[in-house]
């Protein structure tokens, strides 16, 4: 039995129990978020067992988010990373690391932060290739 989703949460009724004669419904809600891949030649890094998407790679910023995916799951659902691919994921684990940066270089006040999210892929929408005009070779 699915409860009506609110915003980007999908809830599944897990247990109904009676406490002091009052029915209580416990639901497991999962927060779903989407990413649209861009600059994949710079921002997607693949190794033997993990795939990392770093959307601010090569860009000056105070925050550098890192999204980590299982390589097996990535290969099965995403395949080859393309700009415009939309990935809906569930955050399995989140953490943030901070660093002061190089005091000789440009450093934002408070230093740099790297929020890391371990993700489970829920769905993938590949970009639609642009059709070429009739009579024009691609």
């Amino acid at each position: 039995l699915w409860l009506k989703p609110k915003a980007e949460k999908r809830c599944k009724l897990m247990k109904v129990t009676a406490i002091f004669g009052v029915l209580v419904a416990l639901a497991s809600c999962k927060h779903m978020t989407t990413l649209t891949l861009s600059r994949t030649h710079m921002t997607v890094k693949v190794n033997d067992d993990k795939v990392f998407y770093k959307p601010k790679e090569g860009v000056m910023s105070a925050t550098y988010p890192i999204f980590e995916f299982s390589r097996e799951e990535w290969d099965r659902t995403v395949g080859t990373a393309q700009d415009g691919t939309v990935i809906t994921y569930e955050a399995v684990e989140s953490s943030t690391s901070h660093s002061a940066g190089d005091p000789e270089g440009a450093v934002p006040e408070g230093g740099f932060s790297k929020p890391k999210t371990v993700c489970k892929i829920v769905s993938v929408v590949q970009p639609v290739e642009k059709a070429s005009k009739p009579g024009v070779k691609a």
Side-chain angles (χ1 to χ4, degrees):
L1 172 68
W2 290 98
L3 299 177
K4 183 177 180 183
K6 289 189 177 185
E8 293 183 2
K9 288 188 179 180
R10 183 173 66 180
C11 300
K12 183 177 182 180
L13 189 61
M14 297 299 289
K15 184 177 181 181
V16 177
T17 187
I19 301 175
F20 302 111
V22 177
L23 288 178
V24 177
L26 301 176
S28 170
C29 296
K30 298 176 182 180
H31 186 73
M32 305 299 167
T33 308
T34 60
L35 287 173
T36 301
L37 302 183
S38 64
R39 302 180 313 116
T40 55
H41 63 285
M42 288 184 70
T43 58
V44 176
K45 307 293 183 218
V46 179
N47 68 27
D48 290 340
D49 60 342
K50 295 178 184 173
V51 175
F52 297 94
Y53 177 58
K54 301 176 179 183
K56 291 198 177 175
E57 187 77 16
V59 176
M60 291 181 70
S61 179
T63 304
Y64 292 94
I66 301 167
F67 299 90
E68 177 184 314
F69 300 90
S70 154
R71 170 74 187 268
E72 179 185 339
E73 182 179 46
W74 181 276
D75 288 346
R76 188 177 65 251
T77 58
V78 178
T80 303
Q82 300 178 57
D83 288 357
T85 299
V86 178
I87 300 172
T88 301
Y89 69 91
E90 172 189 342
V92 175
E93 183 180 321
S94 296
S95 62
T96 301
S97 63
H98 300 276
S99 64
D102 180 6
E104 300 294 320
V107 177
E109 188 175 323
F112 297 99
S113 68
K114 293 183 179 179
K116 180 181 175 184
T117 306
V118 178
C119 307
K120 179 180 182 328
I121 297 173
V122 175
S123 66
V124 175
V125 177
Q126 297 290 354
V128 177
E129 292 185 31
K130 294 179 182 176
S132 61
K133 293 180 182 178
V136 177
K137 292 185 180 180

